[in-house]
Amino acid sequence: MSYLQVNHLYKKYGDTLALKDIDFEIKKGEFVVFVGPSGCGKSTLLRTIAGLESASDGDIQLDGQSIINTHPSQRDVAMVFQSYALYPHMSVKDNMSFALKLAKRPQQEIEEKVSKVAKALKLDALLDRKPKALSGGQRQRVAIGRAIVRNPKVFLFDEPLSNLDAALRVEMRIELSRLHQELGATMIYVTHDQIEAMTLADKVVIMSQGEVAQIGTPLELYHQPANRFVATFIGTPKMNVLPVDSVSASDTTLDVKFNSDASIRLDASLFQGNADNAKAIGFRPESLAFCEPEDGDLKGDVEVIEQLGSETLTYIRTLSGETVVVRADPKFTPTLRQTIGVKLTPEKVYLFNQEEKSLNIYGEVSHV
Ligand SMILES: Nc1ncnc2c1ncn2[C@@H]1O[C@H](COP(=O)(O)OP(=O)(O)OP(=O)(O)O)[C@@H](O)[C@H]1O
Ligand SMILES: [Mg+2]
Protein backbone atom coordinates (compact mmCIF):
# COMPACT_ATOMS: atom_id res chain seq x y z
CA MET A 1 0.00 0.00 0.00
CA SER A 2 1.32 3.42 -0.83
CA TYR A 3 2.42 5.59 2.08
CA LEU A 4 3.63 8.68 0.29
CA GLN A 5 1.98 9.53 -2.98
CA VAL A 6 3.10 12.30 -5.32
CA ASN A 7 0.39 13.03 -7.87
CA HIS A 8 1.03 15.03 -11.05
CA LEU A 9 3.24 17.51 -9.24
CA TYR A 10 4.45 20.67 -11.02
CA LYS A 11 6.75 23.42 -9.78
CA LYS A 12 7.43 26.62 -11.68
CA TYR A 13 9.99 29.32 -10.85
CA GLY A 14 8.89 32.16 -13.12
CA ASP A 15 9.33 30.70 -16.61
CA THR A 16 11.44 27.74 -15.41
CA LEU A 17 9.51 24.49 -15.09
CA ALA A 18 11.57 22.81 -12.37
CA LEU A 19 9.16 19.86 -11.87
CA LYS A 20 6.97 18.50 -14.62
CA ASP A 21 4.17 16.01 -13.96
CA ILE A 22 6.01 14.08 -11.24
CA ASP A 23 3.94 11.04 -10.32
CA PHE A 24 5.00 8.11 -8.13
CA GLU A 25 4.33 6.39 -4.84
CA ILE A 26 6.41 5.07 -2.00
CA LYS A 27 5.59 2.21 0.35
CA LYS A 28 6.02 2.43 4.11
CA GLY A 29 9.57 1.47 5.09
CA GLU A 30 11.03 1.91 1.61
CA PHE A 31 14.39 3.56 0.96
CA VAL A 32 13.88 5.65 -2.15
CA VAL A 33 16.67 7.57 -3.87
CA PHE A 34 16.13 10.53 -6.23
CA VAL A 35 19.10 10.66 -8.57
CA GLY A 36 19.98 12.72 -11.62
CA PRO A 37 22.41 15.34 -12.89
CA SER A 38 22.81 18.79 -11.36
CA GLY A 39 19.76 20.99 -11.93
CA CYS A 40 17.34 18.15 -12.78
CA GLY A 41 15.02 19.08 -9.89
CA LYS A 42 15.92 16.62 -7.12
CA SER A 43 16.18 19.19 -4.33
CA THR A 44 13.10 21.02 -5.56
CA LEU A 45 11.10 17.78 -5.39
CA LEU A 46 12.40 16.99 -1.90
CA ARG A 47 11.77 20.53 -0.65
CA THR A 48 8.26 20.47 -2.10
CA ILE A 49 7.55 17.23 -0.21
CA ALA A 50 8.93 18.89 2.96
CA GLY A 51 6.77 21.96 2.34
CA LEU A 52 9.76 24.32 2.03
CA GLU A 53 8.61 25.07 -1.55
CA SER A 54 5.00 25.36 -2.61
CA ALA A 55 3.79 23.26 -5.54
CA SER A 56 2.41 24.98 -8.65
CA ASP A 57 0.02 22.10 -9.31
CA GLY A 58 -0.62 18.52 -8.19
CA ASP A 59 -0.99 16.83 -4.82
CA ILE A 60 1.09 15.04 -2.19
CA GLN A 61 -0.51 12.50 0.16
CA LEU A 62 1.18 11.12 3.24
CA ASP A 63 -0.40 8.25 5.15
CA GLY A 64 -3.76 8.81 3.46
CA GLN A 65 -3.93 12.61 3.97
CA SER A 66 -3.18 15.39 1.51
CA ILE A 67 -0.32 17.50 2.92
CA ILE A 68 -0.02 19.90 0.01
CA ASN A 69 -1.49 22.79 2.02
CA THR A 70 -0.05 21.71 5.36
CA HIS A 71 2.60 23.89 7.03
CA PRO A 72 6.08 22.26 6.92
CA SER A 73 6.18 21.96 10.72
CA GLN A 74 2.94 19.98 10.67
CA ARG A 75 3.89 17.52 7.90
CA ASP A 76 5.66 15.05 10.18
CA VAL A 77 8.72 14.82 7.93
CA ALA A 78 12.34 15.49 8.93
CA MET A 79 14.89 16.88 6.53
CA VAL A 80 18.67 16.48 6.73
CA PHE A 81 20.72 18.86 4.59
CA GLN A 82 24.19 18.69 3.08
CA SER A 83 25.16 21.68 5.22
CA TYR A 84 24.07 19.89 8.45
CA ALA A 85 22.43 23.15 9.69
CA LEU A 86 23.24 22.47 13.37
CA TYR A 87 22.80 25.21 15.98
CA PRO A 88 26.42 26.27 16.60
CA HIS A 89 25.89 27.58 20.14
CA MET A 90 24.17 24.39 21.33
CA SER A 91 25.80 21.15 22.45
CA VAL A 92 25.25 17.91 20.55
CA LYS A 93 22.72 16.90 23.16
CA ASP A 94 20.79 20.19 22.91
CA ASN A 95 20.84 20.04 19.12
CA MET A 96 19.36 16.56 19.25
CA SER A 97 16.79 17.48 21.91
CA PHE A 98 15.66 20.72 20.32
CA ALA A 99 12.66 19.49 18.32
CA LEU A 100 11.35 17.43 21.24
CA LYS A 101 11.70 20.41 23.59
CA LEU A 102 9.80 22.57 21.12
CA ALA A 103 7.10 19.90 21.02
CA LYS A 104 7.06 20.13 24.86
CA ARG A 105 7.76 16.44 25.38
CA PRO A 106 8.45 15.35 29.00
CA GLN A 107 12.10 15.71 30.06
CA GLN A 108 12.48 12.02 30.83
CA GLU A 109 11.27 10.98 27.38
CA ILE A 110 13.70 13.44 25.77
CA GLU A 111 16.63 12.09 27.82
CA GLU A 112 15.78 8.50 26.93
CA LYS A 113 15.31 9.11 23.22
CA VAL A 114 18.44 11.21 22.80
CA SER A 115 20.57 8.75 24.71
CA LYS A 116 19.27 5.79 22.68
CA VAL A 117 19.84 7.51 19.34
CA ALA A 118 23.25 8.86 20.44
CA LYS A 119 24.29 5.33 21.28
CA ALA A 120 23.12 3.95 17.94
CA LEU A 121 25.06 6.69 16.12
CA LYS A 122 28.16 6.39 18.35
CA LEU A 123 27.71 9.93 19.60
CA ASP A 124 27.31 9.11 23.29
CA ALA A 125 30.82 10.30 24.19
CA LEU A 126 30.31 13.59 22.36
CA LEU A 127 27.00 14.80 23.79
CA ASP A 128 28.47 17.84 25.57
CA ARG A 129 30.55 19.10 22.65
CA LYS A 130 29.61 22.02 20.41
CA PRO A 131 29.37 21.37 16.65
CA LYS A 132 32.62 23.26 15.93
CA ALA A 133 34.52 20.69 17.97
CA LEU A 134 33.29 17.81 15.79
CA SER A 135 34.56 16.31 12.54
CA GLY A 136 32.42 16.51 9.39
CA GLY A 137 31.27 12.92 9.78
CA GLN A 138 30.35 13.47 13.43
CA ARG A 139 28.39 16.62 12.58
CA GLN A 140 26.50 14.75 9.90
CA ARG A 141 25.69 12.04 12.43
CA VAL A 142 24.30 14.68 14.81
CA ALA A 143 22.14 16.05 11.99
CA ILE A 144 20.84 12.55 11.27
CA GLY A 145 20.35 11.87 14.99
CA ARG A 146 18.37 15.07 15.37
CA ALA A 147 16.01 13.84 12.65
CA ILE A 148 15.73 10.33 14.14
CA VAL A 149 14.69 11.47 17.63
CA ARG A 150 11.68 13.20 16.08
CA ASN A 151 10.46 9.84 14.78
CA PRO A 152 9.00 11.40 11.63
CA LYS A 153 6.80 9.60 9.11
CA VAL A 154 9.38 10.23 6.40
CA PHE A 155 13.08 11.14 6.46
CA LEU A 156 14.23 13.45 3.68
CA PHE A 157 17.98 13.60 2.99
CA ASP A 158 19.45 16.10 0.53
CA GLU A 159 22.98 14.97 -0.42
CA PRO A 160 23.86 14.48 3.26
CA LEU A 161 27.25 12.89 2.61
CA SER A 162 28.68 15.12 -0.09
CA ASN A 163 30.88 17.16 2.27
CA LEU A 164 32.66 14.05 3.51
CA ASP A 165 35.78 12.41 2.14
CA ALA A 166 35.45 9.26 0.04
CA ALA A 167 36.20 6.74 2.81
CA LEU A 168 33.84 8.40 5.28
CA ARG A 169 31.10 8.54 2.66
CA VAL A 170 31.25 4.78 2.22
CA GLU A 171 31.23 4.30 6.00
CA MET A 172 28.23 6.61 6.46
CA ARG A 173 26.43 4.97 3.55
CA ILE A 174 26.66 1.60 5.28
CA GLU A 175 25.59 3.23 8.55
CA LEU A 176 22.52 4.72 6.86
CA SER A 177 21.57 1.37 5.35
CA ARG A 178 21.85 -0.20 8.78
CA LEU A 179 19.79 2.56 10.40
CA HIS A 180 17.14 2.18 7.74
CA GLN A 181 16.81 -1.51 8.50
CA GLU A 182 16.86 -1.01 12.26
CA LEU A 183 14.28 1.77 12.28
CA GLY A 184 12.10 0.35 9.49
CA ALA A 185 11.86 4.02 8.49
CA THR A 186 10.62 5.47 5.22
CA MET A 187 13.51 7.40 3.72
CA ILE A 188 13.96 9.56 0.65
CA TYR A 189 17.53 10.35 -0.24
CA VAL A 190 18.74 12.77 -2.91
CA THR A 191 22.09 12.34 -4.63
CA HIS A 192 23.73 12.98 -7.98
CA ASP A 193 25.98 9.99 -7.35
CA GLN A 194 24.65 6.90 -9.10
CA ILE A 195 26.80 4.58 -6.97
CA GLU A 196 25.11 5.94 -3.83
CA ALA A 197 21.74 5.45 -5.52
CA MET A 198 22.53 1.89 -6.56
CA THR A 199 23.88 0.85 -3.16
CA LEU A 200 21.29 2.47 -0.89
CA ALA A 201 17.98 2.28 -2.69
CA ASP A 202 15.14 -0.19 -2.66
CA LYS A 203 13.73 1.98 -5.41
CA VAL A 204 15.38 4.65 -7.56
CA VAL A 205 13.57 7.62 -9.11
CA ILE A 206 15.89 8.84 -11.84
CA MET A 207 15.21 12.39 -12.99
CA SER A 208 16.18 14.44 -16.02
CA GLN A 209 15.25 18.07 -16.68
CA GLY A 210 12.42 18.19 -14.16
CA GLU A 211 10.86 14.91 -15.25
CA VAL A 212 10.99 11.32 -14.06
CA ALA A 213 13.07 9.38 -16.58
CA GLN A 214 12.40 5.98 -14.98
CA ILE A 215 11.50 4.40 -11.65
CA GLY A 216 12.77 0.98 -10.68
CA THR A 217 15.02 -1.11 -8.50
CA PRO A 218 18.74 -0.49 -9.04
CA LEU A 219 19.09 -3.67 -11.11
CA GLU A 220 16.03 -2.89 -13.24
CA LEU A 221 17.59 0.44 -14.17
CA TYR A 222 20.90 -1.22 -14.95
CA HIS A 223 19.53 -4.13 -16.99
CA GLN A 224 16.34 -2.63 -18.40
CA PRO A 225 16.90 1.09 -19.02
CA ALA A 226 13.85 2.73 -20.60
CA ASN A 227 15.93 5.19 -22.59
CA ARG A 228 19.41 6.31 -23.51
CA PHE A 229 19.58 8.80 -20.63
CA VAL A 230 19.03 6.10 -17.98
CA ALA A 231 21.26 3.63 -19.86
CA THR A 232 24.21 6.02 -19.78
CA PHE A 233 23.56 7.52 -16.33
CA ILE A 234 23.54 4.20 -14.44
CA GLY A 235 26.77 2.21 -14.53
CA THR A 236 30.47 3.13 -14.34
CA PRO A 237 32.17 3.47 -16.68
CA LYS A 238 29.08 4.38 -18.61
CA MET A 239 27.49 2.40 -21.40
CA ASN A 240 29.12 2.87 -24.81
CA VAL A 241 26.63 4.30 -27.31
CA LEU A 242 27.48 4.58 -31.01
CA PRO A 243 25.48 5.75 -34.03
CA VAL A 244 23.66 3.13 -36.10
CA ASP A 245 24.07 3.39 -39.89
CA SER A 246 21.46 0.85 -40.98
CA VAL A 247 19.46 -2.13 -39.79
CA SER A 248 18.27 -4.94 -42.02
CA ALA A 249 15.65 -7.17 -40.46
CA SER A 250 14.58 -10.72 -41.26
CA ASP A 251 11.93 -12.63 -39.29
CA THR A 252 14.48 -13.82 -36.81
CA THR A 253 17.51 -11.56 -37.10
CA LEU A 254 18.55 -7.94 -37.11
CA ASP A 255 21.78 -7.07 -38.89
CA VAL A 256 22.96 -3.78 -37.44
CA LYS A 257 25.68 -1.78 -39.15
CA PHE A 258 27.11 0.89 -36.89
CA ASN A 259 29.97 3.28 -36.39
CA SER A 260 30.86 3.24 -40.12
CA ASP A 261 32.86 0.03 -39.99
CA ALA A 262 31.20 -2.28 -37.45
CA SER A 263 28.35 -4.76 -37.60
CA ILE A 264 26.56 -7.33 -35.47
CA ARG A 265 23.72 -9.84 -35.91
CA LEU A 266 21.11 -9.73 -33.15
CA ASP A 267 18.16 -11.95 -32.23
CA ALA A 268 15.10 -10.03 -33.52
CA SER A 269 12.84 -11.49 -30.82
CA LEU A 270 14.70 -9.43 -28.19
CA PHE A 271 13.65 -6.17 -29.86
CA GLN A 272 10.45 -4.39 -30.81
CA GLY A 273 9.14 -4.78 -34.36
CA ASN A 274 10.28 -1.30 -35.32
CA ALA A 275 13.88 -1.92 -34.26
CA ASP A 276 14.90 -1.36 -37.87
CA ASN A 277 14.44 2.33 -36.97
CA ALA A 278 17.27 2.14 -34.44
CA LYS A 279 19.48 5.21 -34.43
CA ALA A 280 21.98 4.21 -31.73
CA ILE A 281 23.45 1.01 -30.33
CA GLY A 282 24.60 0.60 -26.72
CA PHE A 283 26.76 -1.95 -24.94
CA ARG A 284 28.30 -1.87 -21.50
CA PRO A 285 32.08 -1.99 -20.94
CA GLU A 286 31.63 -5.18 -18.92
CA SER A 287 29.83 -7.07 -21.70
CA LEU A 288 32.79 -6.80 -24.11
CA ALA A 289 35.76 -9.05 -24.79
CA PHE A 290 38.99 -8.54 -26.73
CA CYS A 291 39.89 -10.58 -29.77
CA GLU A 292 41.98 -10.45 -32.93
CA PRO A 293 41.10 -7.36 -35.03
CA GLU A 294 39.64 -9.47 -37.87
CA ASP A 295 37.39 -11.42 -35.47
CA GLY A 296 35.89 -8.37 -33.75
CA ASP A 297 32.43 -6.87 -34.23
CA LEU A 298 34.33 -3.63 -33.85
CA LYS A 299 37.98 -2.70 -33.96
CA GLY A 300 40.18 0.18 -32.95
CA ASP A 301 43.44 1.35 -31.45
CA VAL A 302 44.21 1.19 -27.76
CA GLU A 303 44.47 4.79 -26.60
CA VAL A 304 44.48 4.72 -22.78
CA ILE A 305 44.81 1.89 -20.26
CA GLU A 306 43.67 2.44 -16.67
CA GLN A 307 44.89 -0.26 -14.31
CA LEU A 308 42.84 -0.14 -11.13
CA GLY A 309 44.08 -3.38 -9.58
CA SER A 310 40.78 -5.24 -9.45
CA GLU A 311 40.01 -4.33 -13.04
CA THR A 312 41.53 -2.77 -16.12
CA LEU A 313 39.71 -0.20 -18.24
CA THR A 314 40.88 0.07 -21.81
CA TYR A 315 39.85 3.02 -23.99
CA ILE A 316 39.80 2.24 -27.68
CA ARG A 317 39.62 4.78 -30.46
CA THR A 318 37.60 3.29 -33.33
CA LEU A 319 38.36 4.05 -36.96
CA SER A 320 35.52 6.58 -37.10
CA GLY A 321 36.97 8.42 -34.10
CA GLU A 322 34.56 7.31 -31.36
CA THR A 323 35.90 6.08 -28.02
CA VAL A 324 34.80 2.71 -26.65
CA VAL A 325 35.65 1.65 -23.11
CA VAL A 326 36.19 -2.02 -22.28
CA ARG A 327 36.30 -3.45 -18.77
CA ALA A 328 38.42 -6.49 -19.36
CA ASP A 329 40.01 -9.26 -17.40
CA PRO A 330 42.98 -7.68 -15.54
CA LYS A 331 45.11 -10.65 -16.60
CA PHE A 332 44.78 -9.57 -20.21
CA THR A 333 46.68 -6.37 -20.88
CA PRO A 334 46.68 -4.95 -24.37
CA THR A 335 49.48 -2.58 -25.25
CA LEU A 336 49.12 1.08 -26.08
CA ARG A 337 48.43 1.93 -29.73
CA GLN A 338 47.86 -1.75 -30.55
CA THR A 339 45.01 -2.39 -33.01
CA ILE A 340 42.55 -4.70 -31.33
CA GLY A 341 39.20 -6.37 -31.97
CA VAL A 342 36.22 -6.08 -29.63
CA LYS A 343 33.45 -8.69 -29.42
CA LEU A 344 30.01 -7.68 -28.17
CA THR A 345 27.67 -10.01 -26.26
CA PRO A 346 24.63 -9.96 -28.60
CA GLU A 347 22.02 -10.54 -25.87
CA LYS A 348 23.45 -7.60 -23.91
CA VAL A 349 23.13 -5.10 -26.72
CA TYR A 350 20.69 -2.14 -26.50
CA LEU A 351 19.09 -0.28 -29.40
CA PHE A 352 17.62 3.23 -29.15
CA ASN A 353 15.29 5.02 -31.55
CA GLN A 354 15.26 8.64 -32.75
CA GLU A 355 13.53 9.72 -29.52
CA GLU A 356 16.24 7.86 -27.54
CA LYS A 357 13.72 5.30 -26.19
CA SER A 358 14.98 1.75 -25.71
CA LEU A 359 13.79 -0.69 -28.40
CA ASN A 360 14.63 -3.78 -26.32
CA ILE A 361 11.85 -6.05 -25.13
CA TYR A 362 12.73 -6.84 -21.54
CA GLY A 363 9.94 -9.14 -20.38
CA GLU A 364 10.67 -11.16 -17.27
CA VAL A 365 14.43 -11.43 -17.16
CA SER A 366 16.33 -12.87 -14.26
CA HIS A 367 19.30 -10.46 -14.40
CA VAL A 368 21.90 -13.18 -14.31
N1 LIG B 1 14.58 29.49 -5.94
C1 LIG B 1 14.73 29.26 -7.26
N2 LIG B 1 14.42 30.21 -8.18
C2 LIG B 1 14.55 29.95 -9.50
N3 LIG B 1 14.96 28.78 -10.01
C3 LIG B 1 15.29 27.82 -9.17
C4 LIG B 1 15.18 27.99 -7.74
N4 LIG B 1 15.57 26.83 -7.14
C5 LIG B 1 15.91 26.00 -8.15
N5 LIG B 1 15.73 26.57 -9.35
C6 LIG B 1 15.95 25.93 -10.68
O1 LIG B 1 15.21 24.73 -10.72
C7 LIG B 1 15.96 23.69 -11.35
C8 LIG B 1 16.10 22.51 -10.42
O2 LIG B 1 16.92 22.86 -9.32
P1 LIG B 1 17.27 21.87 -8.14
O3 LIG B 1 17.99 22.64 -7.09
O4 LIG B 1 16.03 21.16 -7.73
O5 LIG B 1 18.27 20.86 -8.85
P2 LIG B 1 19.07 19.62 -8.25
O6 LIG B 1 18.67 18.44 -9.07
O7 LIG B 1 18.87 19.52 -6.78
O8 LIG B 1 20.58 19.99 -8.60
P3 LIG B 1 21.95 19.81 -7.74
O9 LIG B 1 22.39 18.38 -7.98
O10 LIG B 1 22.88 20.77 -8.39
O11 LIG B 1 21.67 20.10 -6.31
C9 LIG B 1 17.28 24.32 -11.76
O12 LIG B 1 17.19 24.70 -13.11
C10 LIG B 1 17.40 25.52 -10.86
O13 LIG B 1 18.15 26.54 -11.47
MG1 LIG C 1 20.16 19.78 -5.13
Side-chain angles (χ1 to χ4, degrees):
M1 208 188 90
S2 86
Y3 190 55
L4 180 78
Q5 225 173 324
V6 173
N7 294 332
H8 302 291
L9 195 72
Y10 287 77
K11 172 68 186 175
K12 276 190 206 143
Y13 293 111
D15 289 340
T16 312
L17 197 51
L19 297 178
K20 195 172 154 192
D21 201 17
I22 306 284
D23 202 74
F24 62 89
E25 53 181 51
I26 293 174
K27 293 198 202 73
K28 193 167 183 175
E30 257 186 325
F31 198 129
V32 177
V33 174
F34 298 165
V35 70
S38 187
C40 71
K42 307 176 295 291
S43 295
T44 305
L45 178 54
L46 201 70
R47 293 170 60 83
T48 310
I49 293 170
L52 303 175
E53 302 282 351
S54 59
S56 308
D57 200 3
D59 191 25
I60 301 171
Q61 302 228 344
L62 178 57
D63 203 6
Q65 306 269 335
S66 173
I67 53 166
I68 200 85
N69 295 318
T70 308
H71 189 268
S73 63
Q74 304 298 316
R75 287 191 183 197
D76 211 353
V77 302
M79 190 144 167
V80 179
F81 300 90
Q82 174 181 348
S83 59
Y84 319 139
L86 299 176
Y87 299 110
H89 56 286
M90 288 187 198
S91 67
V92 168
K93 185 174 175 185
D94 290 341
N95 264 288
M96 287 173 69
S97 316
F98 190 70
L100 296 178
K101 279 191 184 146
L102 267 191
K104 303 207 163 52
R105 306 304 308 163
Q107 188 58 30
Q108 194 187 342
E109 178 192 323
I110 297 177
E111 293 279 341
E112 278 171 14
K113 274 194 174 158
V114 169
S115 125
K116 190 165 160 231
V117 173
K119 210 168 192 164
L121 287 167
K122 301 192 202 82
L123 289 169
D124 31 356
L126 306 172
L127 284 171
D128 295 327
R129 291 219 198 150
K130 298 269 169 62
K132 68 171 186 311
L134 299 175
S135 73
Q138 290 165 339
R139 281 180 213 174
Q140 193 51 284
R141 257 183 262 161
V142 177
I144 292 169
R146 192 173 54 171
I148 293 173
V149 294
R150 290 176 50 193
N151 192 24
K153 284 185 172 157
V154 182
F155 288 89
L156 305 173
F157 296 98
D158 195 351
E159 310 239 12
L161 309 186
S162 46
N163 287 348
L164 308 179
D165 72 39
L168 199 50
R169 277 179 83 124
V170 173
E171 204 176 290
M172 287 298 292
R173 203 165 79 198
I174 294 165
E175 195 113 309
L176 266 180
S177 265
R178 190 177 55 78
L179 269 175
H180 171 245
Q181 286 166 30
E182 261 176 38
L183 299 169
T186 311
M187 295 183 166
I188 305 180
Y189 185 100
V190 162
T191 179
H192 60 269
D193 178 350
Q194 56 101 11
I195 305 260
E196 245 172 52
M198 297 292 277
T199 50
L200 282 170
D202 297 317
K203 181 153 95 188
V204 179
V205 176
I206 172 163
M207 297 178 67
S208 166
Q209 298 180 3
E211 290 185 83
V212 173
Q214 191 171 353
I215 299 176
T217 64
L219 287 184
E220 275 165 359
L221 299 187
Y222 176 86
H223 290 288
Q224 311 181 345
N227 50 53
R228 180 174 172 161
F229 170 79
V230 175
T232 51
F233 192 82
I234 300 289
T236 32
K238 54 185 201 165
M239 184 188 284
N240 298 292
V241 180
L242 297 175
V244 163
D245 304 317
S246 67
V247 182
S248 50
S250 79
D251 285 350
T252 55
T253 59
L254 291 173
D255 285 310
V256 183
K257 289 197 187 315
F258 63 102
N259 199 41
S260 308
D261 62 336
S263 65
I264 187 165
R265 173 162 288 189
L266 302 173
D267 177 350
S269 71
L270 298 177
F271 297 90
Q272 293 170 27
N274 56 355
D276 48 352
N277 283 326
K279 291 288 178 269
I281 180 170
F283 38 89
R284 294 198 182 275
E286 48 273 34
S287 66
L288 302 175
F290 288 125
C291 58
E292 294 300 325
E294 58 277 15
D295 298 333
D297 300 309
L298 182 72
K299 59 177 176 290
D301 297 332
V302 175
E303 205 172 41
V304 174
I305 300 172
E306 289 179 346
Q307 284 178 315
L308 306 174
S310 60
E311 63 183 17
T312 301
L313 304 178
T314 308
Y315 294 80
I316 291 168
R317 166 74 55 127
T318 67
L319 297 184
S320 65
E322 302 270 357
T323 297
V324 167
V325 54
V326 182
R327 175 188 274 144
D329 185 338
K331 279 177 267 170
F332 177 88
T333 330
T335 47
L336 274 181
R337 287 179 287 282
Q338 172 188 0
T339 302
I340 201 161
V342 176
K343 264 216 137 359
L344 280 57
T345 310
E347 54 281 10
K348 293 193 174 167
V349 164
Y350 296 85
L351 294 176
F352 304 102
N353 69 10
Q354 183 82 42
E355 289 76 43
E356 307 202 330
K357 296 265 179 293
S358 165
L359 292 164
N360 296 57
I361 299 172
Y362 294 123
E364 294 295 314
V365 289
S366 56
H367 305 313
V368 283

